[in-house]
Amino acid sequence: MSLTTKKGCQYCGETDRNTQLFEGLGSLTKPDGSFFQGWWKQGKKNGFGREVAANHTVYTGNFAFNVKRGYGELQHCDGRLFKGQFVDGLKAGHG
């Protein structure tokens, strides 16, 4: 399914038949150019995915209900790379 949200985001992927929330594999592109490709549950990023921010910072890893959680890799736009654990959206440890 392809749709445009009220905030002007473009979504392409699976949705729940009853709730119309993003559910399963899909991609969301925001008006600022940032995007997410990966797994959704109840309309939230959940499971493995890749998120590219408007400033070109790239996170590839696990999410739990929109929050970076578990193993992931964060590539900053200046080239710095963090590989390691994320807890509640924050880097945990030295990577």
Side-chain angles (χ1 to χ4, degrees), residues 48-60:
F48 186 80
R50 181 173 185 257
E51 181 177 63
V52 179
N55 70 356
H56 305 289
T57 297
V58 179
Y59 172 79
T60 305

Side-chain angles (χ1 to χ4, degrees), residues 15-89:
T15 58
D16 182 278
R17 282 187 204 186
N18 298 317
T19 65
Q20 295 303 305
L21 293 173
F22 309 156
E23 188 80 25
L25 190 58
S27 63
L28 180 77
T29 303
K30 295 182 179 179
D32 66 4
S34 61
F35 69 90
F36 173 79
Q37 277 183 297
W39 293 93
W40 299 84
K41 185 171 184 170
Q42 299 171 358
K44 300 190 184 294
K45 297 174 268 192
N46 199 69
F48 186 80
R50 181 173 185 257
E51 181 177 63
V52 179
N55 70 356
H56 305 289
T57 297
V58 179
Y59 172 79
T60 305
N62 293 301
F63 289 84
F65 293 96
N66 275 350
V67 177
K68 296 174 184 84
R69 186 166 299 151
Y71 181 81
E73 297 182 6
L74 183 65
Q75 177 79 51
H76 294 273
C77 55
D78 64 7
R80 291 178 293 130
L81 177 64
F82 174 86
K83 293 181 180 184
Q85 295 295 316
F86 285 78
V87 177
D88 296 329

